[in-house]
mmCIF file of all heavy atoms in Angstrom:
data_model
loop_
_atom_site.group_PDB
_atom_site.id
_atom_site.type_symbol
_atom_site.label_atom_id
_atom_site.label_comp_id
_atom_site.label_asym_id
_atom_site.label_seq_id
_atom_site.Cartn_x
_atom_site.Cartn_y
_atom_site.Cartn_z
ATOM 1 N N GLY A 1 108.309 157.022 184.641
ATOM 2 C CA GLY A 1 107.978 156.461 185.899
ATOM 3 C C GLY A 1 108.038 154.949 185.796
ATOM 4 O O GLY A 1 107.276 154.376 186.603
ATOM 5 N N GLY A 2 108.728 154.389 184.870
ATOM 6 C CA GLY A 2 108.807 152.998 184.812
ATOM 7 C C GLY A 2 107.697 152.216 184.016
ATOM 8 O O GLY A 2 107.574 151.051 183.952
ATOM 9 N N ARG A 3 106.868 153.103 183.516
ATOM 10 C CA ARG A 3 105.800 152.508 182.747
ATOM 11 C C ARG A 3 105.420 153.293 181.496
ATOM 12 O O ARG A 3 105.856 154.581 181.314
ATOM 13 C CB ARG A 3 104.437 152.436 183.547
ATOM 14 C CG ARG A 3 103.906 153.751 183.932
ATOM 15 C CD ARG A 3 102.492 153.480 184.856
ATOM 16 N NE ARG A 3 102.140 154.729 185.454
ATOM 17 C CZ ARG A 3 101.026 154.747 186.133
ATOM 18 N NH1 ARG A 3 100.238 153.606 186.243
ATOM 19 N NH2 ARG A 3 100.471 155.811 186.683
ATOM 20 N N HIS A 4 104.748 152.748 180.458
ATOM 21 C CA HIS A 4 104.540 153.421 179.250
ATOM 22 C C HIS A 4 103.128 154.073 179.268
ATOM 23 O O HIS A 4 102.113 153.448 179.575
ATOM 24 C CB HIS A 4 104.568 152.420 178.090
ATOM 25 C CG HIS A 4 105.892 151.847 177.916
ATOM 26 N ND1 HIS A 4 106.337 150.694 178.588
ATOM 27 C CD2 HIS A 4 107.005 152.237 177.260
ATOM 28 C CE1 HIS A 4 107.566 150.417 178.269
ATOM 29 N NE2 HIS A 4 108.049 151.342 177.404
ATOM 30 N N CYS A 5 103.024 155.281 178.713
ATOM 31 C CA CYS A 5 101.776 156.064 178.617
ATOM 32 C C CYS A 5 101.588 156.355 177.067
ATOM 33 O O CYS A 5 102.438 156.744 176.432
ATOM 34 C CB CYS A 5 101.794 157.286 179.511
ATOM 35 S SG CYS A 5 102.085 156.977 181.237
ATOM 36 N N ALA A 6 100.231 156.306 176.725
ATOM 37 C CA ALA A 6 99.815 156.857 175.419
ATOM 38 C C ALA A 6 99.182 158.164 175.648
ATOM 39 O O ALA A 6 98.256 158.305 176.361
ATOM 40 C CB ALA A 6 98.824 155.895 174.805
ATOM 41 N N VAL A 7 99.885 159.229 175.063
ATOM 42 C CA VAL A 7 99.546 160.631 175.241
ATOM 43 C C VAL A 7 99.101 161.242 174.001
ATOM 44 O O VAL A 7 99.696 161.108 172.959
ATOM 45 C CB VAL A 7 100.794 161.402 175.781
ATOM 46 C CG1 VAL A 7 100.365 162.756 176.139
ATOM 47 C CG2 VAL A 7 101.283 160.635 177.097
ATOM 48 N N TYR A 8 97.825 161.846 174.028
ATOM 49 C CA TYR A 8 97.291 162.654 172.851
ATOM 50 C C TYR A 8 96.831 163.919 173.327
ATOM 51 O O TYR A 8 96.244 164.158 174.414
ATOM 52 C CB TYR A 8 96.089 161.729 172.382
ATOM 53 C CG TYR A 8 95.241 162.498 171.438
ATOM 54 C CD1 TYR A 8 95.742 162.701 170.051
ATOM 55 C CD2 TYR A 8 94.051 162.945 171.695
ATOM 56 C CE1 TYR A 8 94.986 163.324 169.196
ATOM 57 C CE2 TYR A 8 93.132 163.645 170.791
ATOM 58 C CZ TYR A 8 93.635 163.907 169.516
ATOM 59 O OH TYR A 8 92.899 164.509 168.585
ATOM 60 N N ARG A 9 97.140 164.946 172.469
ATOM 61 C CA ARG A 9 96.658 166.294 172.634
ATOM 62 C C ARG A 9 95.668 166.544 171.529
ATOM 63 O O ARG A 9 95.923 166.513 170.350
ATOM 64 C CB ARG A 9 97.781 167.315 172.597
ATOM 65 C CG ARG A 9 97.327 168.691 173.017
ATOM 66 C CD ARG A 9 98.412 169.758 172.862
ATOM 67 N NE ARG A 9 99.566 169.497 173.915
ATOM 68 C CZ ARG A 9 99.535 169.814 175.149
ATOM 69 N NH1 ARG A 9 98.459 170.526 175.516
ATOM 70 N NH2 ARG A 9 100.576 169.555 175.882
ATOM 71 N N ASP A 10 94.473 166.881 171.894
ATOM 72 C CA ASP A 10 93.221 167.098 170.943
ATOM 73 C C ASP A 10 93.390 168.453 170.353
ATOM 74 O O ASP A 10 94.377 169.263 170.757
ATOM 75 C CB ASP A 10 91.952 166.945 171.674
ATOM 76 C CG ASP A 10 91.592 167.780 172.743
ATOM 77 O OD1 ASP A 10 92.091 168.998 172.781
ATOM 78 O OD2 ASP A 10 90.801 167.514 173.558
ATOM 79 N N ASP A 11 92.539 168.854 169.462
ATOM 80 C CA ASP A 11 92.487 170.228 168.739
ATOM 81 C C ASP A 11 92.332 171.316 169.679
ATOM 82 O O ASP A 11 92.712 172.450 169.288
ATOM 83 C CB ASP A 11 91.371 170.151 167.718
ATOM 84 C CG ASP A 11 91.836 169.200 166.455
ATOM 85 O OD1 ASP A 11 93.036 168.942 166.331
ATOM 86 O OD2 ASP A 11 90.898 168.857 165.717
ATOM 87 N N ASP A 12 91.685 171.208 170.749
ATOM 88 C CA ASP A 12 91.526 172.167 171.790
ATOM 89 C C ASP A 12 92.727 172.417 172.769
ATOM 90 O O ASP A 12 92.657 173.150 173.617
ATOM 91 C CB ASP A 12 90.299 172.069 172.610
ATOM 92 C CG ASP A 12 89.120 172.192 171.700
ATOM 93 O OD1 ASP A 12 89.076 172.878 170.739
ATOM 94 O OD2 ASP A 12 88.079 171.345 171.966
ATOM 95 N N GLY A 13 93.795 171.442 172.571
ATOM 96 C CA GLY A 13 94.869 171.543 173.509
ATOM 97 C C GLY A 13 94.804 170.735 174.671
ATOM 98 O O GLY A 13 95.753 170.673 175.439
ATOM 99 N N GLU A 14 93.777 170.026 174.806
ATOM 100 C CA GLU A 14 93.558 169.090 176.055
ATOM 101 C C GLU A 14 94.334 167.859 175.893
ATOM 102 O O GLU A 14 94.291 167.185 174.872
ATOM 103 C CB GLU A 14 92.142 168.920 176.321
ATOM 104 C CG GLU A 14 91.800 168.058 177.603
ATOM 105 C CD GLU A 14 90.266 167.925 177.789
ATOM 106 O OE1 GLU A 14 89.652 168.374 177.064
ATOM 107 O OE2 GLU A 14 90.016 167.064 178.637
ATOM 108 N N LEU A 15 94.990 167.444 176.924
ATOM 109 C CA LEU A 15 95.774 166.153 176.992
ATOM 110 C C LEU A 15 94.813 164.974 177.440
ATOM 111 O O LEU A 15 93.987 165.129 178.329
ATOM 112 C CB LEU A 15 96.911 166.219 177.935
ATOM 113 C CG LEU A 15 98.191 166.895 177.508
ATOM 114 C CD1 LEU A 15 99.229 167.034 178.617
ATOM 115 C CD2 LEU A 15 98.808 166.215 176.261
ATOM 116 N N HIS A 16 94.985 163.776 176.878
ATOM 117 C CA HIS A 16 94.331 162.658 177.121
ATOM 118 C C HIS A 16 95.615 161.641 177.339
ATOM 119 O O HIS A 16 96.175 161.251 176.412
ATOM 120 C CB HIS A 16 93.302 162.155 175.995
ATOM 121 C CG HIS A 16 92.346 163.226 175.661
ATOM 122 N ND1 HIS A 16 91.078 163.179 176.234
ATOM 123 C CD2 HIS A 16 92.482 164.266 174.819
ATOM 124 C CE1 HIS A 16 90.406 164.239 175.662
ATOM 125 N NE2 HIS A 16 91.213 164.877 174.897
ATOM 126 N N ILE A 17 95.596 160.888 178.575
ATOM 127 C CA ILE A 17 96.676 160.135 178.812
ATOM 128 C C ILE A 17 96.074 158.786 179.396
ATOM 129 O O ILE A 17 95.179 158.799 180.426
ATOM 130 C CB ILE A 17 97.529 160.694 179.947
ATOM 131 C CG1 ILE A 17 98.044 162.049 179.501
ATOM 132 C CG2 ILE A 17 98.660 159.752 180.265
ATOM 133 C CD1 ILE A 17 98.914 162.706 180.483
ATOM 134 N N VAL A 18 96.453 157.701 178.689
ATOM 135 C CA VAL A 18 96.025 156.360 179.046
ATOM 136 C C VAL A 18 97.192 155.486 179.150
ATOM 137 O O VAL A 18 98.298 155.750 178.526
ATOM 138 C CB VAL A 18 94.955 155.845 178.100
ATOM 139 C CG1 VAL A 18 93.697 156.654 178.136
ATOM 140 C CG2 VAL A 18 95.484 155.675 176.651
ATOM 141 N N ALA A 19 97.197 154.371 179.738
ATOM 142 C CA ALA A 19 98.095 153.238 179.750
ATOM 143 C C ALA A 19 98.388 152.697 178.310
ATOM 144 O O ALA A 19 97.481 152.639 177.477
ATOM 145 C CB ALA A 19 97.750 152.168 180.645
ATOM 146 N N ALA A 20 99.655 152.604 177.935
ATOM 147 C CA ALA A 20 99.889 152.119 176.612
ATOM 148 C C ALA A 20 99.971 150.688 176.375
ATOM 149 O O ALA A 20 100.078 150.229 175.273
ATOM 150 C CB ALA A 20 101.306 152.740 176.136
ATOM 151 N N ARG A 21 99.790 149.946 177.444
ATOM 152 C CA ARG A 21 99.666 148.483 177.300
ATOM 153 C C ARG A 21 98.418 148.045 176.932
ATOM 154 O O ARG A 21 97.432 148.344 177.530
ATOM 155 C CB ARG A 21 100.114 147.875 178.606
ATOM 156 C CG ARG A 21 101.586 147.784 178.923
ATOM 157 C CD ARG A 21 101.824 147.317 180.393
ATOM 158 N NE ARG A 21 101.141 146.078 180.565
ATOM 159 C CZ ARG A 21 101.888 144.859 180.519
ATOM 160 N NH1 ARG A 21 103.111 144.893 180.154
ATOM 161 N NH2 ARG A 21 101.160 143.737 180.693
ATOM 162 N N CYS A 22 98.237 147.247 175.626
ATOM 163 C CA CYS A 22 96.981 146.783 175.152
ATOM 164 C C CYS A 22 96.501 145.866 176.251
ATOM 165 O O CYS A 22 97.196 144.927 176.696
ATOM 166 C CB CYS A 22 97.226 146.055 173.874
ATOM 167 S SG CYS A 22 95.657 145.337 173.249
ATOM 168 N N THR A 23 95.200 145.844 176.523
ATOM 169 C CA THR A 23 94.588 145.026 177.477
ATOM 170 C C THR A 23 94.365 143.602 177.165
ATOM 171 O O THR A 23 93.833 142.768 177.962
ATOM 172 C CB THR A 23 93.366 145.678 178.080
ATOM 173 O OG1 THR A 23 92.406 145.917 176.954
ATOM 174 C CG2 THR A 23 93.534 146.987 178.764
ATOM 175 N N HIS A 24 94.648 143.336 175.869
ATOM 176 C CA HIS A 24 94.554 142.015 175.284
ATOM 177 C C HIS A 24 95.654 141.121 175.857
ATOM 178 O O HIS A 24 95.492 140.145 176.670
ATOM 179 C CB HIS A 24 94.435 141.966 173.837
ATOM 180 C CG HIS A 24 94.407 140.593 173.170
ATOM 181 N ND1 HIS A 24 95.207 140.339 172.056
ATOM 182 C CD2 HIS A 24 93.833 139.550 173.524
ATOM 183 C CE1 HIS A 24 94.944 139.039 171.804
ATOM 184 N NE2 HIS A 24 94.124 138.581 172.565
ATOM 185 N N MET A 25 96.928 141.320 175.305
ATOM 186 C CA MET A 25 98.056 140.553 175.693
ATOM 187 C C MET A 25 99.205 141.411 176.046
ATOM 188 O O MET A 25 100.441 140.892 176.234
ATOM 189 C CB MET A 25 98.432 139.554 174.635
ATOM 190 C CG MET A 25 97.329 138.572 174.456
ATOM 191 S SD MET A 25 97.778 137.268 173.218
ATOM 192 C CE MET A 25 99.021 136.335 174.028
ATOM 193 N N GLY A 26 99.079 142.717 176.278
ATOM 194 C CA GLY A 26 100.154 143.569 176.718
ATOM 195 C C GLY A 26 101.154 144.251 175.712
ATOM 196 O O GLY A 26 102.060 144.791 176.177
ATOM 197 N N CYS A 27 100.827 144.131 174.482
ATOM 198 C CA CYS A 27 101.676 144.807 173.512
ATOM 199 C C CYS A 27 101.514 146.280 173.669
ATOM 200 O O CYS A 27 100.409 146.807 173.987
ATOM 201 C CB CYS A 27 101.486 144.413 172.040
ATOM 202 S SG CYS A 27 101.975 142.808 171.792
ATOM 203 N N LEU A 28 102.446 147.288 173.265
ATOM 204 C CA LEU A 28 102.231 148.565 173.320
ATOM 205 C C LEU A 28 101.530 149.127 172.062
ATOM 206 O O LEU A 28 101.720 148.724 170.926
ATOM 207 C CB LEU A 28 103.559 149.321 173.404
ATOM 208 C CG LEU A 28 104.410 149.104 174.731
ATOM 209 C CD1 LEU A 28 105.691 149.918 174.627
ATOM 210 C CD2 LEU A 28 103.564 149.311 175.964
ATOM 211 N N VAL A 29 100.454 149.980 172.319
ATOM 212 C CA VAL A 29 99.712 150.532 171.225
ATOM 213 C C VAL A 29 100.563 151.570 170.473
ATOM 214 O O VAL A 29 101.436 152.132 170.978
ATOM 215 C CB VAL A 29 98.440 151.180 171.678
ATOM 216 C CG1 VAL A 29 97.520 150.052 172.358
ATOM 217 C CG2 VAL A 29 98.744 152.327 172.713
ATOM 218 N N ARG A 30 100.026 151.925 169.290
ATOM 219 C CA ARG A 30 100.585 153.003 168.437
ATOM 220 C C ARG A 30 99.492 153.900 167.978
ATOM 221 O O ARG A 30 98.346 153.495 167.847
ATOM 222 C CB ARG A 30 101.505 152.352 167.303
ATOM 223 C CG ARG A 30 102.647 151.594 167.765
ATOM 224 C CD ARG A 30 103.378 151.023 166.417
ATOM 225 N NE ARG A 30 104.680 150.452 166.771
ATOM 226 C CZ ARG A 30 105.508 150.139 165.871
ATOM 227 N NH1 ARG A 30 105.244 150.278 164.656
ATOM 228 N NH2 ARG A 30 106.726 149.461 166.234
ATOM 229 N N PHE A 31 99.994 155.227 167.658
ATOM 230 C CA PHE A 31 98.978 156.196 167.209
ATOM 231 C C PHE A 31 98.657 156.076 165.842
ATOM 232 O O PHE A 31 99.608 155.955 165.033
ATOM 233 C CB PHE A 31 99.546 157.567 167.716
ATOM 234 C CG PHE A 31 98.524 158.592 167.518
ATOM 235 C CD1 PHE A 31 97.244 158.673 168.282
ATOM 236 C CD2 PHE A 31 98.647 159.657 166.568
ATOM 237 C CE1 PHE A 31 96.310 159.637 168.156
ATOM 238 C CE2 PHE A 31 97.679 160.671 166.463
ATOM 239 C CZ PHE A 31 96.609 160.679 167.232
ATOM 240 N N ASN A 32 97.353 156.191 165.437
ATOM 241 C CA ASN A 32 96.896 156.279 164.036
ATOM 242 C C ASN A 32 96.633 157.848 163.890
ATOM 243 O O ASN A 32 95.591 158.392 164.421
ATOM 244 C CB ASN A 32 95.742 155.438 163.800
ATOM 245 C CG ASN A 32 95.167 155.504 162.494
ATOM 246 O OD1 ASN A 32 95.106 156.492 161.780
ATOM 247 N ND2 ASN A 32 94.591 154.413 161.996
ATOM 248 N N ASP A 33 97.377 158.553 163.018
ATOM 249 C CA ASP A 33 97.220 159.974 162.821
ATOM 250 C C ASP A 33 96.065 160.371 161.958
ATOM 251 O O ASP A 33 95.701 161.478 161.916
ATOM 252 C CB ASP A 33 98.500 160.507 162.269
ATOM 253 C CG ASP A 33 98.912 160.035 160.998
ATOM 254 O OD1 ASP A 33 98.373 158.900 160.477
ATOM 255 O OD2 ASP A 33 99.731 160.617 160.231
ATOM 256 N N ALA A 34 95.386 159.318 161.297
ATOM 257 C CA ALA A 34 94.196 159.650 160.399
ATOM 258 C C ALA A 34 92.957 159.525 161.318
ATOM 259 O O ALA A 34 92.121 160.426 161.360
ATOM 260 C CB ALA A 34 94.219 158.877 159.263
ATOM 261 N N GLU A 35 92.860 158.482 161.863
ATOM 262 C CA GLU A 35 91.565 158.162 162.655
ATOM 263 C C GLU A 35 91.647 158.719 164.129
ATOM 264 O O GLU A 35 90.673 158.708 164.862
ATOM 265 C CB GLU A 35 91.302 156.676 162.696
ATOM 266 C CG GLU A 35 91.063 156.115 161.313
ATOM 267 C CD GLU A 35 90.834 154.614 161.171
ATOM 268 O OE1 GLU A 35 92.027 154.074 161.110
ATOM 269 O OE2 GLU A 35 89.861 154.088 161.304
ATOM 270 N N ARG A 36 92.870 159.001 164.478
ATOM 271 C CA ARG A 36 93.099 159.583 165.899
ATOM 272 C C ARG A 36 92.701 158.454 166.868
ATOM 273 O O ARG A 36 91.831 158.694 167.782
ATOM 274 C CB ARG A 36 92.562 160.873 166.185
ATOM 275 C CG ARG A 36 93.005 162.006 165.202
ATOM 276 C CD ARG A 36 92.536 163.338 165.642
ATOM 277 N NE ARG A 36 92.937 164.378 164.618
ATOM 278 C CZ ARG A 36 92.861 165.552 164.832
ATOM 279 N NH1 ARG A 36 92.479 166.144 166.053
ATOM 280 N NH2 ARG A 36 93.066 166.564 163.824
ATOM 281 N N THR A 37 93.362 157.344 166.817
ATOM 282 C CA THR A 37 93.105 156.177 167.563
ATOM 283 C C THR A 37 94.385 155.559 168.069
ATOM 284 O O THR A 37 95.402 155.910 167.486
ATOM 285 C CB THR A 37 92.149 155.115 166.869
ATOM 286 O OG1 THR A 37 92.765 154.733 165.679
ATOM 287 C CG2 THR A 37 90.740 155.804 166.547
ATOM 288 N N TRP A 38 94.350 154.634 169.013
ATOM 289 C CA TRP A 38 95.420 153.864 169.306
ATOM 290 C C TRP A 38 95.118 152.501 168.883
ATOM 291 O O TRP A 38 94.144 151.801 169.015
ATOM 292 C CB TRP A 38 95.539 153.916 170.975
ATOM 293 C CG TRP A 38 95.883 155.131 171.433
ATOM 294 C CD1 TRP A 38 94.966 155.900 172.207
ATOM 295 C CD2 TRP A 38 97.115 155.952 171.400
ATOM 296 N NE1 TRP A 38 95.689 157.158 172.574
ATOM 297 C CE2 TRP A 38 96.964 157.053 172.127
ATOM 298 C CE3 TRP A 38 98.358 155.534 170.820
ATOM 299 C CZ2 TRP A 38 97.931 158.038 172.278
ATOM 300 C CZ3 TRP A 38 99.459 156.575 170.920
ATOM 301 C CH2 TRP A 38 99.200 157.786 171.736
#
């Protein structure tokens, strides 16, 4: 839809969707697969 979304599915199968643009200066976040963070 013209914008970037950060999408995560937890261990229970639930989706968590947030904007992917960092609120600091607008770079796109990336997923950390160990700490489960953006």
Side-chain angles (χ1 to χ4, degrees):
R3 62 179 177 177
H4 297 89
C5 300
V7 183
Y8 168 72
R9 186 182 294 277
D10 64 25
D11 287 341
D12 296 325
E14 181 180 354
L15 280 175
H16 303 263
I17 304 177
V18 295
R21 284 171 52 93
C22 176
T23 56
H24 173 227
M25 294 185 72
C27 292
L28 296 186
V29 297
R30 293 183 174 186
F31 188 63
N32 179 322
D33 61 343
E35 297 169 276
R36 301 195 189 189
T37 57
W38 297 107

